[in-house]
Amino acid sequence: MQKSLDYDVIVVGAGHAGIEACLAPARLGLKTLVVTTNPDRIGYMSCNPSIGGLAKGHMVREIDILGGQMGIAADETCIQFKRLNSRRGPAVRGSRVQSDKNLYAQFMIQTLMSQPNLNVMSGEVKRLVIDGGICSGVVLADGSTIHSKAVIITAGTFLNGVMHVGLQQTSGGRVGDQASVGLSDQLVEFGFDVRRLKTGTPARLLKDSIDWSKTVPQHGDEHYYPFSFSSPNKPKLQQIDCYLTRTTEATHDIIRNNLDKSPMYCGMIEGSGPRYCPSIEDKVVRFADKTSHQSFLEPEGLTSDLIYLQGISTSLPEDVQFEFLKTIPGLENVKVARFGYAVEYDFIEPTQIWHRLETRPIENLFLAGQINGTSGYEEAAAQGFVAGVNAANKILGKDEFVLGRDEAYIGVLVDDLVTKGTLEPYRMFTSRAEHRLILREDNTADRLMGPSSELGVLKAAAFATLDVLVEKRKLLAARLKETKVYPNKAMQEKLIALGTPALTKSLSFEELLRRPEIHCLDLPGLGFDVDQDPNINDSVEIEVKYSGYVSRQLELIRQMRRLEELLLPLDIDYTEVRGLSKEESEKLNKIRPRTLGQAQRISGVNPSATQAIMIFLKGRKNIEASASGDSLGKKRIGRFSAPDAVENSNLVR
Amino acid sequence: MIKGDRDVDTICAISTPIGTGGISVLRVSGPGALLIAQKSCQFLPKEPTSHHVYLGLLRDLSQSKPQSAGITDEAVDEVVTTYFKKGHSFTGDETIEISCHGSPYIAQKILTILVQSGARLAEPGEFTYRAFMNGKLDLVQAEGVLALIQAQSDRSGKQALRQLRGSLSKKLEAIEADILWSLARLEVSIDFSTEDVEIVSKTDLNQRVLAAQQGVNKLLESYRSGRMIKEGLQLVLAGEPNVGKSSLLNLLVEESRAIVSEIAGTTRDLVEAKFSVQGIVVNATDTAGLRKTSDIVESLGIKKSYEAISDADIIFFVFDINRGLSAHELGEIELLDPYKIRLIGNKKDKFSGFLDSAKKTLFDQLKVLKNFQKIENFEPFMKSKVLFVSAYDKSSYEDLTGLIALDLSNTVFEDQSYISQVRHFENLTKAAENIERALLLITADSSVEFMALELKEALILVQETLGKRFDDQVMDRVFREFCIGK
């Protein structure tokens, strides 16, 4: 077998993770190949036709600032926009768009096809080329081998995928697509802990068979906030409504009477399903006192005849599905294009990967998306981007790219997966982020411009736009702080007219803006010019109004950061660290935390363990320094040699 | 976990062995040591000189804290402080050592004040640990610390839970449940706002958070009675001069043969002694007779008597049964807490009248006092609170200790759920602040993520006290209780 290096990076799969995983290295100038079994299904929305939502919208914006594609594609194909929680505080508002499903996929296919340095290939990857614990390419179903410096697997639900409709099982990762058999068996051979998960999808209905008069239309928002900083402030496509209907007692009766035909309830499915996205069978059984559940009828596109039946995912037999659908108002004469089904698939227990999403057992092999136990397009895309960038950085000899839990939801996602693992499909929630109040949609650029410019996926021209935005915000914030407002008669009258108390002494405009009745756009009337762009003044106003809470979180972050900055060498044998319990050293040896902060987040590792580890490390450094006279030994505690930098220098060249 | 920076904050501990010695030494170390100590030791100069000693009154100024309501600007003890600047102390961090009088009560009180001023209780071995990290010790010396950390780590988790008394952990779990209930609902309303789930009403939320608040406050109050077990009951003998207070003290102390020490205060006119009743240490203080005087020294002594009275768990108000209660004595009684007072009629051996009619006269006199008027069922209430004794009669010893035993059984053992450790007190005090702020936010209809932040912090503190670890319990609860699904 010849060992020519055909590519720098090979990406297996072209779903939402695969797209970002192949675009990032290609944009960094690396020769990249993406292999998919079905090029027509690139960027296909296998489940609901929407992008974003609470915590998910946050991640889409983060991907966008870092140079990913998901936000742009969602903006381009948006047919309804909603800002969820718009009446709540700024940290928990989340943008969600419904996209035209076909246009979304077409846009992604176009993007991949026109991306320099990127080739798209149709084929099935059967095996990986692994030698001496290092992955160096893939073997396709036709027996041919393609070599590369790194491989990223983004196989979604395709690894040993089994679809369930009633008691019938078929092999497959999605209706119309074959399962991928072989790859996960090889991973088991190499010592990976591979487990099963389950997910489901509802029926797709034919538009013309629905009696819309029995449903309640749901409009999108008037205000539109595109995901991407580079998108225009108006949606391109015509905006549409969704429709609300509800299940009835009759629906529930039919489901209850047929539970023995549900693969979930007769033990045929072993994998755990997502608790936040239960099937309708689950809802009816677990919440027996609820006589009705809501469902949204979501058009899959402007020209599509298909309607997505949100909230009613099921794996009951087709005849039972058909029977209960007809008991739902509006669906009395429904025609079903495709019935709902459940999919069971293999995933790799994610504590086996590093934060850079490279696997621990096999070097140069990266995993992203559902294969790591997550659920959701946004979670997948975020990981795809992180894996793509890290594969590239490794090849280029650059530092690994890891975002902090205090910087981005993407940081929370990756850290949770590799530190805690998961037993059910992992979905992002705002409550997973301990620093929720500063991880907002409105300050994404402020949070991630720095890391993004270091990465270099986003082009310099784009930064010019972002720089201007961030500069304008800073300037406005500074002016608010410096400019005073004085209690003269004219001012007092204006303030009272705005419904806020008169001044008792002079204030800065920042202090005035802290009052709940005063908004940025009121300030020009009081003699203070502000930028009309909501991208500028919204974010500044939020920072001012919530400064008390924001500074409290920043203080916590400051406290945490010391532990987070303390990188732990990878070669510690934790059984040698005195002061750790047996359970603690076992867990630490398994997870191999990157930082002292991560060590503390491992369940079962007590806070006192950090002290023991610090003493161990300091003792070790002293010994090393006295033995070799090495300059490292003189480094202050907290600045141990960065393990990953050392490791990166040993990369395959 | 919310806490991170556990090795650069300021820590404090009592550094001398627990028990009564001549003096106790407390150590405060860390970047905020001076600022924290200055809050209670206001005699310390702004920029003290390293290795210099400063003498002054340590005061409790924490009037805003709920558990010390009503106590303002209280002098706790006259203390000697030594200042060590950064780099020149045992730990290498800025350090202040406070030497106070050798009473476990005073040392504990000062420790509490330091915690309220912003210091954190040191973990076992933490001073040595810092000394090592700051290069003040070598690794061999630090081995001792590791042994301590090991012990601490073995103890944590479930074992920490076992350390708590059963009924205390039940109370904490009830508080935890109320907070979890509320937090789960707030999180549902944030993360699943598009779902068809019933979100909690403001009234229900308020009620559950209030319940948590009451629970926490009760436990904070119980800190006093919990302390009683560890440090003993504070008994004060008060009354006019020459009613026989000192003889009664001698009676209690000599007969019990449990004298640990007897310290005659040099700067105070209080006489303190210890004895034990049913295994509980009683710290008895004999006070200067209460009377109006123009003598400056004597009036200082009387001021001390009042201070001792305000700290007491039980007050033996001693009077001469042959004279009865004078108008002045009644005036003094009127100022005291009726629940703490026991009326001790002394010199029974010289009394020739009928004890029953003396008692009746006494009741009639007390009934009209303002502080006794609010007591329902006055006579049954007072029955166990009046005792006629003679300092020279051995059976009076039994009567007096019996009175104390009754008190111990009523106030302490009827409810064993109390917190006794400063660590628990520290956590729950912070949790109480979080809950207080959460309630304000609920009342003000603020956005829910701020309430959630406060309740999450309170939950972590309560779970830490329980020895549990905070993880995904909120989400587990959400999924268990709510029908959620996209």
Side-chain angles (χ1 to χ4, degrees):
Chain A
M1 194 163 38
Q2 65 170 50
K3 270 223 158 189
S4 70
L5 281 182
D6 303 303
Y7 285 94
D8 290 315
V9 180
I10 297 175
V11 177
V12 183
H16 304 284
I19 288 171
E20 305 293 352
C22 69
L23 284 174
R27 285 171 179 171
L28 287 170
L30 296 182
K31 217 177 145 197
T32 308
L33 173 74
V34 58
V35 185
T36 168
T37 49
N38 187 351
D40 294 338
R41 290 265 172 110
I42 290 172
Y44 186 76
M45 293 173 157
S46 311
C47 199
N48 57 327
S50 62
I51 298 283
L54 294 162
K56 292 163 167 271
H58 289 77
M59 284 194 290
V60 179
R61 288 183 196 278
E62 289 169 1
I63 294 167
D64 184 65
I65 296 287
L66 294 169
Q69 199 62 22
M70 178 171 258
I72 297 169
D75 291 341
E76 283 286 322
T77 58
C78 168
I79 53 176
Q80 187 187 69
F81 175 86
K82 268 196 169 175
R83 176 166 270 194
L84 308 177
N85 275 343
S86 56
R87 285 156 74 192
R88 298 195 190 286
V92 294
R93 292 175 201 152
S95 306
R96 176 185 185 267
V97 306
Q98 226 187 296
S99 277
D100 183 304
K101 179 171 165 170
N102 293 327
L103 293 179
Y104 186 93
Q106 275 172 30
F107 181 83
M108 283 304 195
I109 291 169
Q110 272 300 313
T111 306
L112 262 55
M113 296 299 178
S114 57
Q115 174 65 44
N117 304 325
L118 179 65
N119 286 342
V120 180
M121 177 190 271
S122 173
E124 189 195 346
V125 171
K126 277 299 202 191
R127 293 183 64 79
L128 301 170
V129 182
I130 297 174
D131 193 15
I134 295 173
C135 179
S136 59
V138 300
V139 181
L140 301 182
D142 64 7
S144 60
T145 299
I146 312 172
H147 287 288
S148 68
K149 293 176 185 164
V151 174
I152 305 172
I153 307 181
T154 64
T157 59
F158 281 53
L159 294 185
N160 288 336
V162 174
M163 294 184 294
H164 296 260
V165 184
L167 303 183
Q168 241 178 22
Q169 300 173 35
T170 29
S171 168
R174 175 172 60 203
V175 161
D177 288 302
Q178 285 182 344
S180 173
V181 179
L183 207 48
S184 57
D185 297 340
Q186 192 194 5
L187 293 176
V188 172
E189 275 171 38
F190 278 95
F192 281 94
D193 177 5
V194 177
R195 303 185 190 180
R196 298 288 273 174
L197 283 178
K198 173 235 134 180
T199 188
T201 192
R204 307 299 194 277
L205 313 176
L206 285 178
K207 200 182 210 167
D208 296 336
S209 67
I210 297 168
D211 179 358
W212 297 102
S213 66
K214 291 181 180 163
T215 65
V216 187
Q218 308 283 310
H219 312 298
D221 288 357
E222 269 182 45
H223 289 283
Y224 171 69
Y225 300 87
F227 281 122
S228 177
F229 71 93
S230 61
S231 295
N233 280 322
K234 286 240 166 358
K236 279 195 176 168
L237 304 175
Q238 176 204 336
Q239 301 296 290
I240 53 113
D241 287 344
C242 294
Y243 299 86
L244 176 66
T245 183
R246 307 191 65 95
T247 60
T248 60
E249 299 244 32
T251 323
H252 294 195
D253 283 340
I254 295 169
I255 290 167
R256 260 191 292 268
N257 292 336
N258 288 284
L259 281 177
D260 55 337
K261 293 170 196 151
S262 163
M264 299 275 300
Y265 282 86
C266 55
M268 279 175 68
I269 293 185
E270 326 152 13
S272 335
R275 286 180 299 172
Y276 46 83
C277 188
S279 62
I280 188 70
E281 295 96 291
D282 254 350
K283 292 186 193 179
V284 168
V285 172
R286 285 181 49 215
F287 301 96
D289 51 337
K290 263 198 116 178
T291 53
S292 173
H293 297 283
Q294 70 175 16
S295 173
F296 289 101
L297 300 164
E298 299 177 345
E300 292 207 335
L302 292 177
T303 54
S304 167
D305 327 325
L306 298 184
I307 300 293
Y308 175 87
L309 185 65
Q310 186 259 21
I312 317 275
S313 94
T314 178
S315 53
L316 283 165
E318 294 185 354
D319 56 329
V320 179
Q321 288 191 36
F322 192 51
E323 208 183 326
F324 83 63
L325 285 174
K326 286 188 291 184
T327 62
I328 298 173
L331 308 186
E332 292 82 353
N333 300 306
V334 75
K335 286 193 180 121
V336 178
R338 204 173 65 226
F339 286 99
Y341 60 97
V343 192
E344 246 191 312
Y345 55 96
D346 285 347
F347 80 107
I348 311 299
E349 208 285 316
T351 57
Q352 301 169 92
I353 51 179
W354 301 110
H355 277 89
R356 56 180 178 270
L357 302 187
E358 185 180 19
T359 70
R360 294 161 193 235
I362 306 290
E363 225 186 293
N364 298 338
L365 175 63
F366 295 77
L367 306 177
Q370 277 167 307
I371 193 170
N372 288 336
T374 62
S375 144
Y377 307 148
E378 304 80 2
E379 287 84 348
Q383 292 172 70
F385 183 84
V386 171
V389 158
N390 276 309
N393 276 7
K394 196 169 183 187
I395 291 163
L396 296 168
K398 293 206 265 180
D399 281 351
E400 62 176 359
F401 172 71
V402 178
L403 290 168
R405 298 181 70 90
D406 54 351
E407 283 179 303
Y409 273 90
I410 297 175
V412 175
L413 169 76
V414 171
D415 186 65
D416 273 355
L417 289 174
V418 307
T419 309
K420 297 178 186 160
T422 186
L423 297 170
E424 66 179 321
Y426 178 103
R427 174 184 156 183
M428 185 49 72
F429 299 109
T430 70
S431 56
R432 296 202 197 264
E434 62 273 43
H435 307 303
R436 170 159 74 188
L437 297 187
I438 60 153
L439 298 186
R440 305 187 308 266
E441 282 196 353
D442 68 82
N443 68 356
T444 314
D446 309 72
R447 289 188 274 127
L448 294 178
M449 283 248 315
S452 180
S453 68
E454 273 176 47
L455 265 188
V457 180
L458 206 59
K459 292 286 159 275
F463 276 108
T465 320
L466 279 173
D467 278 334
V468 169
L469 184 76
V470 170
E471 267 319 300
K472 280 185 174 171
R473 285 181 187 172
K474 278 190 189 149
L475 197 70
L476 177 59
R479 277 177 52 231
L480 283 165
K481 205 172 263 201
E482 286 157 11
T483 318
K484 291 252 178 212
V485 47
Y486 297 99
N488 57 43
K489 189 163 174 270
M491 180 60 72
Q492 303 286 43
E493 279 169 6
K494 282 182 194 164
L495 288 175
I496 288 164
L498 285 168
T500 190
L503 300 177
T504 52
K505 58 178 170 91
S506 65
L507 295 178
S508 70
F509 270 97
E510 184 192 66
E511 288 166 304
L512 187 66
L513 189 58
R514 228 168 261 159
R515 296 181 173 187
E517 307 86 20
I518 302 288
H519 298 284
C520 242
L521 291 177
D522 296 329
L523 299 184
L526 303 173
F528 183 94
D529 277 342
V530 292
D531 205 299
Q532 296 294 309
D533 184 352
N535 277 321
I536 293 159
N537 61 41
D538 267 12
S539 151
V540 172
E541 182 177 332
I542 288 163
E543 290 281 344
V544 167
K545 281 207 159 56
Y546 299 95
S547 60
Y549 278 97
V550 167
S551 56
R552 219 166 115 190
Q553 295 242 303
L554 288 175
E555 173 57 22
L556 277 178
I557 289 170
R558 193 197 60 75
Q559 286 180 13
M560 293 296 302
R561 194 161 277 169
R562 234 179 117 261
L563 294 181
E564 293 301 333
E565 282 175 354
L566 234 167
L567 295 174
L568 297 175
L570 292 173
D571 60 345
I572 302 182
D573 177 0
Y574 288 95
T575 54
E576 283 177 9
V577 179
R578 269 199 68 188
L580 296 180
S581 69
K582 192 157 174 273
E583 188 202 354
E584 285 172 337
S585 48
E586 274 171 8
K587 289 223 163 139
L588 288 161
N589 270 339
K590 179 174 175 239
I591 307 275
R592 303 232 144 256
R594 209 177 148 264
T595 66
L596 206 52
Q598 191 199 351
Q600 259 203 352
R601 283 192 293 276
I602 300 170
S603 74
V605 174
N606 294 298
S608 62
T610 51
Q611 279 183 18
I613 296 170
M614 282 174 100
I615 290 186
F616 175 81
L617 289 174
K618 193 161 186 215
R620 194 165 90 150
K621 282 288 162 226
N622 287 341
I623 292 160
E624 278 174 15
S626 58
S628 66
D630 178 24
S631 65
L632 272 178
K634 289 181 195 132
K635 281 192 177 176
R636 223 167 44 77
I637 182 99
R639 290 272 168 249
F640 304 116
S641 62
D644 301 302
V646 172
E647 202 191 36
N648 279 339
S649 61
N650 300 328
L651 293 189
V652 238
R653 309 230 172 241
Chain B
M1 298 304 305
I2 273 204
K3 277 183 204 158
D5 217 1
R6 284 189 80 82
D7 59 333
V8 293
D9 50 2
T10 299
I11 52 174
C12 63
I14 303 173
S15 297
T16 41
I18 294 171
T20 312
I23 59 165
S24 293
V25 178
L26 292 100
R27 202 184 258 160
V28 194
S29 182
L34 180 61
L35 283 174
I36 287 167
Q38 277 169 336
K39 284 186 192 165
S40 49
C41 302
Q42 291 175 323
F43 55 87
L44 278 169
K46 223 175 187 167
E47 287 173 8
T49 316
S50 190
H51 296 74
H52 273 56
V53 164
Y54 300 89
L55 173 77
L57 280 179
L58 187 144
R59 291 173 184 279
D60 181 4
L61 298 164
S62 54
Q63 52 195 33
S64 61
K65 304 282 185 244
Q67 65 283 351
S68 58
I71 304 171
T72 53
D73 195 1
E74 180 198 2
V76 176
D77 194 14
E78 187 170 48
V79 297
V80 172
T81 60
T82 317
Y83 176 72
F84 303 92
K85 74 174 187 189
K86 188 178 177 205
H88 297 267
S89 68
F90 167 64
T91 60
D93 291 331
E94 183 179 71
T95 299
I96 290 181
E97 287 182 1
I98 301 173
S99 306
C100 63
H101 287 94
S103 136
Y105 169 71
I106 290 177
Q108 202 73 19
K109 172 115 195 176
I110 294 176
L111 191 62
T112 308
I113 291 170
L114 291 171
V115 166
Q116 286 170 348
S117 308
R120 170 172 68 75
L121 277 181
E123 310 276 354
E126 206 168 0
F127 288 102
T128 319
Y129 168 74
R130 290 196 177 190
F132 170 73
M133 295 312 279
N134 287 327
K136 294 274 173 184
L137 294 176
D138 64 25
L139 189 59
V140 180
Q141 288 169 296
E143 289 282 310
V145 189
L146 287 169
L148 274 167
I149 292 172
Q150 173 95 59
Q152 190 193 340
S153 152
D154 288 347
R155 243 193 303 117
S156 55
K158 277 180 191 159
Q159 279 172 333
L161 197 62
R162 226 176 291 143
Q163 284 181 338
L164 299 173
R165 298 213 169 216
S167 50
L168 171 58
S169 54
K170 271 198 195 113
K171 296 224 160 152
L172 281 169
E173 275 163 3
I175 295 166
E176 183 197 12
D178 280 326
I179 301 176
L180 261 177
W181 188 94
S182 312
L183 195 52
R185 272 142 189 88
L186 293 176
E187 292 298 349
V188 165
S189 75
I190 294 170
D191 271 330
F192 303 95
S193 57
T194 51
E195 300 288 340
D196 181 25
V197 287
E198 200 178 307
I199 293 163
V200 63
S201 76
K202 185 177 168 181
T203 327
D204 288 347
L205 182 66
N206 205 48
Q207 204 182 337
R208 286 303 271 263
V209 179
L210 267 175
Q213 186 185 41
Q214 279 167 4
V216 171
N217 284 344
K218 258 196 192 153
L219 285 179
L220 286 175
E221 282 160 26
S222 78
Y223 182 61
R224 190 192 63 89
S225 56
R227 212 188 54 216
M228 203 181 276
I229 299 269
K230 281 189 123 178
E231 293 153 31
L233 181 87
Q234 306 296 321
L235 169 72
V236 169
L237 292 131
E240 290 202 334
N242 294 322
V243 290
K245 298 186 296 293
S246 301
S247 329
L248 284 177
L249 184 68
N250 285 337
L251 173 74
L252 287 167
V253 169
E254 279 172 20
E255 288 286 337
S256 73
R257 296 184 167 216
I259 309 168
V260 178
S261 73
E262 183 171 330
I263 311 153
T266 44
T267 57
R268 49 190 94 174
D269 297 314
L270 306 178
V271 179
E272 291 173 346
K274 278 178 195 286
F275 59 99
S276 83
V277 175
Q278 292 181 351
I280 301 288
V281 175
V282 178
N283 302 299
T285 309
D286 187 14
T287 60
L290 303 169
R291 65 169 177 187
K292 285 213 164 115
T293 175
S294 54
D295 183 325
I296 294 174
V297 177
E298 195 181 352
S299 66
L300 275 175
I302 292 172
K303 190 170 167 253
K304 290 244 184 240
S305 302
Y306 283 119
E307 284 172 1
I309 287 168
S310 76
D311 275 345
D313 298 311
I314 309 179
I315 304 156
F316 277 5
F317 192 93
V318 186
F319 66 100
D320 186 340
I321 187 176
N322 300 292
R323 284 200 329 239
L325 284 175
S326 68
H328 174 249
E329 281 173 320
L330 286 167
E332 295 292 344
I333 292 170
E334 193 159 17
L335 299 174
L336 302 176
D337 181 346
Y339 295 94
K340 287 185 178 175
I341 301 183
R342 309 291 176 268
L343 285 154
I344 312 296
N346 195 16
K347 305 188 185 176
K348 188 172 82 169
D349 49 323
K350 292 182 186 156
F351 185 63
S352 53
F354 291 103
L355 289 174
D356 282 349
S357 60
K359 203 172 236 178
K360 196 171 177 305
T361 318
L362 194 63
F363 281 5
D364 290 341
Q365 285 178 303
L366 293 173
K367 248 185 225 171
V368 296
L369 296 181
K370 250 191 238 153
N371 54 345
F372 281 89
Q373 275 173 1
K374 62 185 177 191
I375 289 166
E376 292 171 38
N377 301 321
F378 177 80
E379 289 208 10
F381 173 81
M382 283 308 295
K383 226 175 195 168
S384 62
K385 304 206 184 308
V386 175
L387 201 60
F388 295 147
V389 297
S390 162
Y392 305 102
D393 183 350
K394 279 196 172 180
S395 70
S396 291
Y397 168 78
E398 303 292 334
D399 293 344
L400 285 167
T401 52
L403 195 59
I404 295 168
L406 187 69
D407 211 74
L408 286 173
S409 65
N410 284 343
T411 61
V412 182
F413 297 115
E414 92 187 357
D415 182 1
Q416 297 204 344
S417 51
Y418 53 81
I419 53 169
S420 57
Q421 293 189 23
V422 185
R423 182 176 73 86
H424 300 162
F425 182 71
E426 181 190 8
N427 279 349
L428 291 178
T429 304
K430 285 188 198 147
E433 289 166 12
N434 284 123
I435 294 172
E436 173 86 39
R437 285 198 292 264
L439 281 167
L440 287 174
L441 290 166
I442 295 169
T443 314
D445 285 319
S446 296
S447 187
V448 290
E449 71 271 25
F450 302 119
M451 303 169 200
L453 175 72
E454 300 292 356
L455 290 182
K456 195 168 181 179
E457 287 185 8
L459 183 65
I460 288 172
L461 288 162
V462 170
Q463 291 184 331
E464 242 177 41
T465 312
L466 270 168
K468 281 189 192 174
R469 209 189 154 86
F470 177 85
D471 40 38
D472 288 337
Q473 289 169 61
V474 179
M475 278 330 225
D476 286 345
R477 185 139 187 164
V478 166
F479 295 134
R480 205 166 62 233
E481 290 184 13
F482 296 92
C483 181
I484 276 157
K486 49 174 197 168

